[in-house]
Amino acid sequence: MKMGEDKLISVIMATYNPKNLDKVTNAINSILQQTYSNIELIICDDGSGNYVKKYLKKIQEKDSRIKCIYNDKNHGLAYSLNACLDKAKGEFIARQDDDDISKRDRLKKQMEFLDAHPDIGFVGSAVDL
């Protein structure tokens, strides 16, 4: 663990029948390759087809920071994110959509800001489309 990374961040992500698994892979990798590495990535499959479950199980085997949850049927985004929150162990929560790409220093910058401003409990970031 790098200096100043004593706080675990739980990154939560939900997915449902993604049309392009390459986009999901890119989203996952953009979290796993963060400069702030004390993370867990919790992914909830919201009742997708078997191809998604098979894909997520394969991804989970590659990195112990990935935790997957599987809904028996589609419940929607809020339900799935709440399922992720139930499993989260981090002191902080970060959101990532299954087609988002986070810049490598996103979590580091957000943690530095929160550490410097203890009166603030929520941060966001700009978006490049």
Side-chain angles (χ1 to χ4, degrees):
M1 191 179 321
K2 298 174 189 167
M3 183 65 94
E5 292 191 18
D6 55 332
K7 297 171 184 163
L8 177 66
I9 300 173
S10 296
V11 182
I12 62 174
M13 176 190 298
T15 190
Y16 176 66
N17 284 332
K19 292 177 178 50
N20 187 337
L21 289 176
D22 288 339
K23 284 187 178 183
V24 179
T25 300
N26 290 338
I28 291 169
N29 286 339
S30 77
I31 292 300
L32 297 177
Q33 296 169 359
Q34 288 290 300
T35 56
Y36 189 99
S37 61
N38 190 16
I39 62 165
E40 64 177 356
L41 174 58
I42 304 168
I43 305 169
C44 182
D45 170 49
D46 193 19
S48 300
N50 284 337
Y51 75 99
V52 177
K53 183 181 272 191
K54 184 177 178 181
Y55 164 79
L56 289 176
K57 286 182 185 244
K58 185 176 177 183
I59 292 289
Q60 187 175 0
E61 290 173 1
K62 294 180 180 182
D63 196 309
S64 62
R65 296 175 294 170
I66 300 173
K67 317 281 188 280
C68 295
I69 304 166
Y70 304 94
N71 292 342
D72 57 345
K73 63 180 183 175
N74 183 252
H75 291 282
L77 181 62
Y79 181 97
S80 296
L81 293 176
N82 280 327
C84 291
L85 288 173
D86 287 343
K87 299 289 184 193
K89 294 186 171 111
E91 185 175 344
F92 292 89
I93 304 294
R95 268 278 291 124
Q96 175 89 355
D97 284 325
D98 68 353
D99 61 351
D100 285 350
I101 305 296
S102 288
K103 292 189 176 184
R104 284 184 44 82
D105 60 350
R106 169 196 167 191
L107 297 176
K108 180 177 181 270
K109 284 183 175 184
Q110 289 176 332
M111 283 304 300
E112 286 173 350
F113 181 86
L114 289 169
D115 282 342
H117 302 88
D119 55 320
I120 295 177
F122 182 87
V123 295
S125 61
V127 173
D128 290 330
L129 295 177

